[in-house]
Amino acid sequence: QTEEYMAELQNSSLLLHGVNEDIVRRIYSDNLLARKTFEAITLNVDTDIPDEEAAQHKFYTIAIRNFKINSSGNRVSYEGTEQEELRARVESLRKQGVETEDFYKLAAANTEDSTMLEITAGKGDFPKEYEDTVLALTENQVSEVIETTDYYYIFYCVTDFDVDATHAKKEEIIADRQEKEFQTRYKEWRGTTHIEVNEEIWDALDFDMESVG
């Protein structure tokens, strides 16, 4: 990679900053060393992630706003008869959701928050007030109406264990554990080590470190 980068560098202003092949080679070498150091430091990080921790569920959701915007453009809550009518509408949608063979179609036609129409989620992705309720749903089960200050929600569980999404979540958890372990060890090392960086040269460099390894 050093030779390739230097070939591209010939007409660059980087040469004016004193960047030469030795400097580039040392940067590539140090970067490779840093990667191997990262791997060594995080080698013993626990990568055994139980399914219960990482399980990802897929849902179709009907979300109905629990508020309205008045003539002044302000958000206000429904009250009295309006609130009763709204609640009755939501309960009716829930009943339809239980009876229908195509919950997605029902949700798409009625939801007032398209970002919630089809979601994949797991532990930590919902507010604590109703997370356990939603994650307890099994395949093809429809939740009771869940009321929040913003929306009424009705969840339909497509699957309570999405294999691909769960695998991806496990990889994410492992990467997070590795990063935390590395940062902890790095801060300990950084506190006892003096480092000087030539900011002018560093800022002028522009190459793909992802190709090193």
Side-chain angles (χ1 to χ4, degrees):
Q1 285 91 2
T2 302
E3 290 75 12
E4 293 176 4
Y5 186 74
M6 289 305 298
E8 297 176 1
L9 188 65
Q10 293 307 310
N11 297 320
S12 169
S13 61
L14 289 176
L15 294 175
L16 299 178
H17 296 285
V19 177
N20 55 40
E21 185 171 339
D22 286 340
I23 290 176
V24 173
R25 189 180 300 280
R26 189 161 64 248
I27 291 174
Y28 271 117
S29 177
D30 288 348
N31 183 258
L32 179 58
L33 177 60
R35 293 192 179 200
K36 291 186 179 298
T37 301
F38 179 90
E39 292 171 0
I41 288 175
T42 60
L43 184 62
N44 294 321
V45 167
D46 185 8
T47 58
D48 182 19
I49 315 296
D51 288 342
E52 310 85 71
E53 179 179 350
Q56 295 296 291
H57 311 237
K58 183 176 180 179
F59 303 97
Y60 296 148
T61 311
I62 298 175
I64 304 298
R65 280 189 294 272
N66 198 13
F67 63 91
K68 60 182 178 179
I69 305 300
N70 64 18
S71 58
S72 300
N74 298 317
R75 169 176 160 165
V76 295
S77 299
Y78 287 100
E79 296 180 350
T81 303
E82 281 188 323
Q83 177 66 31
E84 293 174 1
E85 291 176 348
L86 176 62
R87 180 74 192 200
R89 177 193 168 206
V90 176
E91 291 290 355
S92 174
L93 284 171
R94 196 263 170 185
K95 184 174 183 295
Q96 294 175 59
V98 172
E99 296 173 348
T100 185
E101 294 183 0
D102 191 346
F103 190 95
Y104 180 86
K105 182 177 180 181
L106 177 70
N110 290 278
T111 190
E112 295 175 355
D113 182 358
S114 59
T115 64
M116 290 288 290
L117 176 58
E118 183 174 354
I119 61 172
T120 300
K123 284 187 176 181
D125 292 328
F126 294 105
K128 292 182 179 179
E129 307 89 80
Y130 61 86
E131 178 171 273
D132 289 345
T133 299
V134 177
L135 295 184
L137 294 173
T138 56
E139 190 169 320
N140 297 324
Q141 189 175 7
V142 178
S143 74
E144 297 294 335
V145 173
I146 296 174
E147 181 178 357
T148 72
T149 55
D150 297 319
Y151 286 90
Y152 286 106
Y153 291 112
I154 304 167
F155 292 91
Y156 170 83
C157 180
V158 180
T159 176
D160 53 11
F161 193 82
D162 185 310
V163 176
D164 291 340
T166 299
H167 177 74
K169 185 63 177 181
K170 287 185 178 183
E171 293 298 316
E172 180 184 322
I173 292 172
I174 291 171
D176 183 59
R177 289 181 180 181
Q178 291 175 327
E179 180 62 23
K180 287 180 179 177
E181 175 66 16
F182 179 79
Q183 289 301 328
T184 297
R185 299 284 291 277
Y186 174 76
K187 287 178 181 178
E188 295 173 355
W189 173 80
R190 187 70 176 86
T192 59
T193 306
H194 177 68
I195 299 175
E196 291 186 2
V197 178
N198 187 318
E199 299 292 348
E200 185 177 15
I201 292 180
W202 184 255
D203 290 341
L205 291 171
D206 180 20
F207 48 76
D208 182 14
M209 286 300 202
E210 293 299 323
S211 62
V212 181

